[in-house]
Amino acid sequence: MSAKKNLVAATMLAGTVTALSFMSAGTAQAQGALVMYCGVQEEWCRAMTTAFERETGIKVSMTRKSAGEVYAQVKAEAANPRADIWWGGTGDPHMQAAEEGITDEYKSPKMGELQDWAVRQWEQSKGRTVGIYSGALGFGYNTELAQSNKIGEPKCWADLLKPELKDEVQVADPNSSGTAYTLLATIVQIMGEDKGFEYLKALHKNVNQYTKSGAAPAKAMALGETTAGIAFMHDIVTMVVDKAPVKVVAPCEGTGYEIGSMSIIKGAKNLDNAKKFYDWALTADAQKLGAEAKSYQVPSNKSTPVPPQAPKLADIKLINFDFAKYGSSAERKRLLSKWDNEVKNLP
Ligand code: PLP
């Protein structure tokens, strides 16, 4: 089949899948269904879907999207919500949605089992989003390409500006990706806004592609498509576990981190099932599925074992990330539009 026909067939198929999931959402209440927007890696999203269906008999219609994309979709659908639960992805768009009132308050009976940082996220959002995992931002490099491109061993954010890395750094677009928005907010907090934007403009010269999803640069590094990539350290660890020639770096200047979050959509048609999922997703057993799906974040339930592969937060120079400020609607909109105007459109 030609590439064009392939595209047409794929588009028709996508239309059919959307129509089917729309029908199932419409008849959802009677059959016991749940519509979930999922913000982590596809493998973990699928593992959560299957396990919850098996445990409860509730049929889950799941769509995986990056953090900023889920936010945009939830906002666009606010008058007639299609989804019930938004599980995973960085906390900033969950916080923004909370402030804008498009997600709902809920206090789970499981709150007492959670780490303080997860509860703080819930308190700061006035009960509209809760922390489900945490992980630090960093970068990585393909050791074979680093050797052939003679870039040495990058250790600091500053090293990513070296001329030897021209067109050899990959990172996502912060409008779609929570990972890349975490980078934007991290650099501004470490360097101050003026110097931070100077840094991002200089970095732009070395960027070969702004991807849609935050984990794509980690995969591209593993495949030898880019020498360096900026991503959450746990996403790069997944590549190392799969034996890719990739090294993970915790930047010497310090780095930011995420509180991956979960929210119930305001006006959810399957509200009881959304609460069932919410309570279940906070249990130690459900959170163990992350490591099984090769996602190595730090889980928010105190009884979930921290995967041995997870980057040790205590060994990383973490900044005092201001989640309330950088998750606020005004600040997120302002920084993203400044990045679009001053960085993305540079030649
Ligand atoms: N993958 C994992 C394992 C994550 O923890 C996160 C953030 O929570 C993401 C991906 C973020 O995806 P994106 O940057 O595409 O929004």
Side-chain angles (χ1 to χ4, degrees):
M1 207 188 278
S2 72
K4 194 169 168 195
K5 275 190 187 153
N6 258 332
L7 186 68
V8 172
T11 310
M12 285 168 63
L13 182 64
T16 314
V17 171
T18 309
L20 282 175
S21 55
F22 180 75
M23 277 162 58
S24 70
T27 50
Q29 261 150 331
Q31 294 169 13
L34 179 73
V35 181
M36 164 167 61
Y37 290 161
C38 185
V40 299
Q41 294 299 287
E42 183 85 33
E43 295 78 5
W44 191 10
C45 294
R46 275 195 256 115
M48 287 292 281
T49 303
T50 312
F52 183 69
E53 283 183 342
R54 202 172 42 225
E55 196 144 316
T56 61
I58 295 167
K59 189 95 198 83
V60 182
S61 158
M62 181 277 288
T63 309
R64 194 276 156 188
K65 278 180 192 265
S66 286
E69 294 180 297
V70 177
Y71 163 77
Q73 185 160 0
V74 169
K75 181 133 179 138
E77 294 170 352
N80 183 19
R82 195 183 87 77
D84 304 305
I85 189 104
W86 173 7
W87 181 79
T90 55
D92 48 286
H94 284 270
M95 293 289 280
Q96 182 174 4
E99 184 188 330
E100 292 171 2
I102 53 178
T103 48
D104 224 348
E105 287 168 40
Y106 179 56
K107 183 169 186 184
S108 168
K110 297 281 165 200
M111 290 302 288
E113 297 181 22
L114 304 184
Q115 302 280 1
D116 292 348
W117 47 262
V119 177
R120 207 173 313 124
Q121 182 84 338
W122 181 82
E123 287 166 352
Q124 282 186 337
S125 67
K126 302 195 172 61
R128 290 174 195 260
T129 195
V130 67
I132 52 176
Y133 57 79
S134 182
L137 186 73
F139 63 84
Y141 58 94
N142 180 304
T143 50
E144 291 168 1
L145 289 177
Q147 209 169 20
S148 54
N149 292 340
K150 300 195 172 41
I151 62 151
E153 290 188 11
K155 290 188 166 53
C156 304
W157 290 117
D159 293 333
L160 296 181
L161 302 186
K162 287 183 177 169
E164 297 88 315
L165 278 171
K166 181 151 178 54
D167 290 332
E168 287 298 332
V169 180
Q170 198 169 106
V171 62
D173 182 321
N175 291 287
S176 58
S177 155
T179 308
Y181 181 76
T182 305
L183 172 71
L184 174 53
T186 294
I187 293 296
V188 164
Q189 287 175 89
I190 291 178
M191 303 179 189
E193 187 156 330
D194 291 347
K195 289 212 171 100
F197 268 83
E198 286 314 311
Y199 175 87
L200 294 167
K201 285 181 207 169
L203 180 68
H204 178 85
K205 295 196 182 115
N206 284 355
V207 169
N208 50 42
Q209 195 187 344
Y210 292 109
T211 59
K212 197 154 78 161
S213 125
K219 290 179 188 153
M221 259 187 297
L223 293 170
E225 293 169 358
T226 183
T227 303
I230 300 172
F232 281 116
M233 288 170 67
H234 50 258
D235 280 341
I236 307 172
V237 168
T238 306
M239 304 301 137
V240 177
V241 168
D242 283 343
K243 309 233 175 328
V246 165
K247 193 154 181 196
V248 190
V249 180
C252 74
E253 299 93 337
T255 193
Y257 63 104
E258 63 164 332
I259 296 178
S261 300
M262 165 168 67
S263 313
I264 292 178
I265 309 297
K266 183 147 198 152
K269 299 199 171 61
N270 302 291
L271 183 58
D272 288 347
N273 290 347
K275 289 180 181 169
K276 266 186 206 145
F277 181 91
Y278 191 112
D279 295 343
W280 173 79
L282 294 180
T283 62
D285 275 350
Q287 292 196 352
K288 278 185 202 151
L289 293 171
E292 288 171 23
K294 294 193 189 161
S295 279
Y296 302 116
Q297 289 92 334
V298 176
S300 69
N301 186 306
K302 289 182 205 156
S303 308
T304 318
V306 177
Q309 302 89 341
K312 309 267 170 306
L313 295 183
D315 299 345
I316 300 166
K317 196 169 153 192
L318 291 181
I319 62 170
N320 186 13
F321 202 105
D322 189 340
F323 291 104
K325 174 170 177 185
Y326 292 95
S328 79
S329 183
E331 187 64 3
R332 200 164 171 277
K333 277 187 201 154
R334 186 186 73 79
L335 277 179
L336 286 173
S337 108
K338 183 163 173 172
W339 184 84
D340 281 345
N341 293 332
E342 296 189 13
V343 180
K344 189 179 186 176
N345 294 327
L346 285 176

